[in-house]
Amino acid sequence: MIALLGVVAAIIAVWLYFGFLETLLVTSILGILYVLVFHSRWCYIAIKTAPRDLRALWCYLKILIMTRRLTKKDWTLPDIFHETVQKHPDKPCFLFQNEVWTFEEVENYSLRVSAVLKSLGVKKGDIVGLLVNNCAQMPALWLGNARLGGITPLINTNQRGKALIHSINVAKCDVLIFSDEYESAIQDISSELSSLIKLFKFTHRPLNPSNPVTKASGDGITDLTSLLENTPPMPWALADANGFQGKLLYIYTSGTTGLPKAAVISNSRYVFMACGLHHMRLNSSDVVYCPLPLYHTAGGVVSVGQALVFGCTVILKPKFSASQYFPDCAKYKATAAHYIGEMCRYVLATPPSPADKQHSVRVVYGNGLRPQIWTEFVTRFNIKYVTEFYGATEGNANIANTDGTPGAIGFVSRIFPKIYPIAIIKVDQETGEPIRDSHGLCQLAQANEPGVFIGKISPNNPTREYLGYVDKNASEKKIVRNVFTQGDSAFISGDILVADEFGYLYFRDRTGDTFRWRGENVSTSEVEAVISNIADQRDAVVYGVLVPNIEGRAGMCGIVDDNNSLDLDKLAKDLARDLPPYARPVFLRVMTSLDMTGTFKMKKTDLQKEGFDPSMVKGDKLYYLDLKNGKYLSLGPEEFQRISNGQIRL
Ligand SMILES: *[C@@H]1O[C@H](CO)[C@@H](O)[C@H](O)[C@H]1NC(C)=O
Ligand SMILES: *[C@@H]1O[C@H](CO)[C@@H](O)[C@H](O)[C@H]1NC(C)=O
Ligand SMILES: *[C@@H]1O[C@H](CO)[C@@H](O)[C@H](O)[C@H]1NC(C)=O
Ligand SMILES: *[C@@H]1O[C@H](CO)[C@@H](O)[C@H](O)[C@H]1NC(C)=O
Ligand SMILES: *[C@@H]1O[C@H](CO)[C@@H](O)[C@H](O)[C@H]1NC(C)=O
């Protein structure tokens, strides 16, 4: 206070004695000196991160301009696609195996779909589920439905039985279109499906077949393909739908636990997600390789959106293949390629070959390229740019690593932290509950302090609104209220992130996955990555198990060894080198295969339930870490007893 008065007095004295200009000069110099001396670290960070922030701000402005324009026009996706088609009707839109579909052909096909669905009684607001594997017609099927104002749930094609019934019912489907390869899956559940649901069978056939099918199948199921091949396209017209903010798709989030939930994707959100990626590194001359399933956001929105919204050529695949990844890119002359989750690890595990560098991919994008293999991946495959991004299908929290900093999944600006509506807040890492201050509000996590990632909600702004799930109760569970002021709300992602001093964000773990052992927090995904790296990129899944009379959870690692070549002594030695003692798995479960979701996420809950009890674990071998000589020893019923009653110390 006295110092401040002194400064003010000095300024007034200078002013009186010398005049205005001199005073201005002196105060500016003093101000700059003050900032430089007392906030030098902040200045350094601001200068270092300014280019990154400005670049991202430029992208963000482009997104806002585009969404504003489309909000004004109130177009839906078929209308937006029509504008793209007009620009270059004869350019290839989708490449699928040997098929080349031009933009006009895709649109014509979708106009046929509209005509056929209309003739079958589909009307505005109807829900037409789609259980169709990747092919060029798949996006055209939902575009055709969207033109009539219908909503399309994209059903995960791996689902069978209960999960499949659940997906169809939770979306309240009026119609289900399925491809013939899933006919038996549908027959298996047909007795439990409501008889009100109309079933249409789709058969994948190449474009312009020389022999149109005419015969309709006689089993009460409408044969969509014969109708499509014999009905002329509907004349083009603007969609009769609910505008830019209207619902377009339902996409199921394939959680690693519980039944899938249907997240709502509006037209605006579709455009926003496609747009966000596009402006980072892509342009409309890019040829994009997408080996992902089209029923998830990554494939069906982010990549397919590059074609529908921006006019890129997109290469589709029936199924991901690690050994074909870069050879495919070379064959189709891809300039950009999409990855997800563990794909990069599988591609990296293929034997090195000259094809590794004989392609023209300049940018790869996706989420889940782990820091541990990032550099090796870009070096081996000669990739110029990596755009790693993060965005929850059902949420409004999206971030991206725009400058290729290895391992980061995005950033928050240190100069203008408020400009983009995301934050990391302090939580209890085991339960995921926000830690609140004395006013009941959440607290921002400091640099290097793990916290949960949230997106602030403001309705009707495509970058900040939260559409949630079809199931309202499930939506409510993902909202946290009274975040920074009383009455505000945010989408809580459930992912634990940590920000460094420059604002770069790194993925730590899912809440609930992190466990505590010997007073330390163990991030399962970090340990998984280290183990995979040590063990020739094998699949590894890490989880905490309860041990009687010991606090916390002991780390257990399920590791796949399908050819009996895993050297446990070497593994133990390498783990001791690369992991702190509390993070080393106490138990090992050597498995021949691992159950995974469609996006290569590993299912942990069943493994966790079985724990390290040999009577529960059938078929797999168990080991425990012997502390004395640092080796994994076999764990049978006798060792289980001795561990449980504390005779063997862990
Ligand atoms: C698309 O449909 C229109 C109208 O039916 C037709 O004139 C045009 O030739 C079709 N284009 C292609 C590429 O099939
Ligand atoms: C646009 O994409 C093409 C194809 O990948 C690339 O050659 C070109 O450099 C890109 N242009 C810009 C401005 O990034
Ligand atoms: C582990 O996380 C909790 C909060 O979830 C925190 O209070 C504790 O300090 C952390 N422990 C360590 C060693 O980081
Ligand atoms: C949602 O929650 C309300 C109140 O908690 C309950 O009455 C209702 O049955 C729930 N709905 C569903 C679909 O679970
Ligand atoms: C066994 O599989 C691993 C990883 O899948 C591989 O690295 C290793 O070379 C294989 N060993 C033999 C003997 O085939």
Side-chain angles (χ1 to χ4, degrees), residues 85 89 100-110 140 207-208:
V85 175
V100 178
W101 289 67
T102 66
F103 278 84
E104 192 177 41
E105 282 163 344
V106 173
E107 182 169 58
N108 275 9
Y109 194 89
S110 80
L207 183 60
N208 303 323

Side-chain angles (χ1 to χ4, degrees), residues 303-343:
S303 273
V304 168
Q306 299 310 313
L308 303 186
V309 182
F310 294 100
C312 297
T313 300
V314 175
I315 301 146
L316 307 174
K317 285 277 289 178
K319 206 172 179 335
F320 162 72
S321 152
S323 61
Q324 287 307 303
Y325 196 93
F326 281 106
D328 271 347
C329 288
K331 175 175 155 199
Y332 293 106
K333 304 195 168 51
T335 58
H338 198 163
Y339 62 81
I340 187 172
E342 303 298 294
M343 277 184 184

Side-chain angles (χ1 to χ4, degrees), residues 539-543 556-560 588-591 594 607:
D539 286 322
V541 51
V542 172
Y543 45 98
M556 178 149 186
C557 171
I559 185 163
V560 175
L588 281 187
R589 173 172 179 167
V590 178
M591 312 190 282
L594 189 57
L607 293 173

Side-chain angles (χ1 to χ4, degrees), residues 49-79:
T49 58
R52 170 195 76 181
D53 291 9
L54 287 175
R55 207 167 156 265
L57 189 63
W58 178 232
C59 288
Y60 191 45
L61 283 178
K62 283 199 270 194
I63 297 171
L64 291 183
I65 291 168
M66 175 143 188
T67 45
R68 174 140 316 166
R69 181 176 80 94
L70 292 171
T71 306
K72 236 193 206 146
K73 296 199 185 231
D74 208 21
W75 279 354
T76 50
L77 217 67
D79 311 327

Side-chain angles (χ1 to χ4, degrees), residues 206-246:
L207 183 60
N208 303 323
S210 49
N211 53 335
V213 278
T214 48
K215 199 175 89 22
S217 55
D219 51 5
I221 294 175
T222 309
D223 184 0
L224 199 63
T225 307
S226 71
L227 290 172
L228 284 170
E229 290 180 4
N230 294 291
T231 307
M234 204 166 93
W236 182 84
L238 278 178
D240 177 23
N242 289 321
F244 193 50
Q245 308 293 347

Side-chain angles (χ1 to χ4, degrees), residues 186-213:
I186 293 295
Q187 269 160 6
D188 289 347
I189 60 163
S190 61
S191 61
E192 289 171 76
L193 276 184
S194 155
S195 58
L196 296 176
I197 298 178
K198 294 186 212 161
L199 297 177
F200 300 166
K201 183 166 87 176
F202 166 80
T203 310
H204 176 256
R205 310 228 305 148
L207 183 60
N208 303 323
S210 49
N211 53 335
V213 278

Side-chain angles (χ1 to χ4, degrees), residues 461-608:
N461 174 341
T463 67
R464 302 183 185 195
E465 72 185 329
Y466 169 66
L467 300 169
Y469 304 107
V470 176
D471 174 358
K472 288 285 162 274
N473 286 4
S475 306
E476 196 56 32
K477 279 193 198 138
K478 286 280 198 172
I479 296 183
V480 49
R481 296 191 186 279
N482 302 333
V483 187
F484 299 118
T485 55
Q486 299 294 341
D488 69 351
S489 60
F491 162 76
I492 185 155
S493 70
D495 286 327
I496 305 273
L497 266 53
V498 60
D500 69 9
E501 199 184 13
F502 298 97
Y504 287 104
L505 302 172
Y506 299 86
F507 179 77
R508 257 304 163 81
D509 219 353
R510 299 269 324 155
T511 41
D513 280 1
T514 291
F515 58 88
R516 218 163 291 171
W517 181 242
R518 297 190 190 168
E520 299 278 358
N521 301 316
V522 182
S523 150
T524 59
S525 67
E526 232 170 80
V527 178
E528 280 160 10
V530 170
I531 295 179
S532 282
N533 235 17
I534 290 175
D536 302 320
Q537 307 297 343
R538 280 184 173 82
D539 286 322
V541 51
V542 172
Y543 45 98
V545 295
L546 290 170
V547 183
N549 303 319
I550 302 188
E551 202 172 314
R553 284 172 186 271
M556 178 149 186
C557 171
I559 185 163
V560 175
D561 181 28
D562 48 9
N563 57 13
N564 243 325
S565 66
L566 186 63
D567 180 348
L568 290 182
D569 288 349
K570 179 172 179 302
L571 182 70
K573 236 173 45 221
D574 292 346
L575 284 176
R577 181 192 61 208
D578 290 352
L579 284 175
Y582 61 85
R584 288 174 210 153
V586 174
F587 300 111
L588 281 187
R589 173 172 179 167
V590 178
M591 312 190 282
T592 47
S593 70
L594 189 57
D595 208 14
M596 281 201 249
T597 69
T599 44
F600 304 106
K601 286 182 193 151
M602 304 176 207
K603 298 179 181 165
K604 294 188 186 183
T605 30
D606 293 340
L607 293 173
Q608 200 158 14

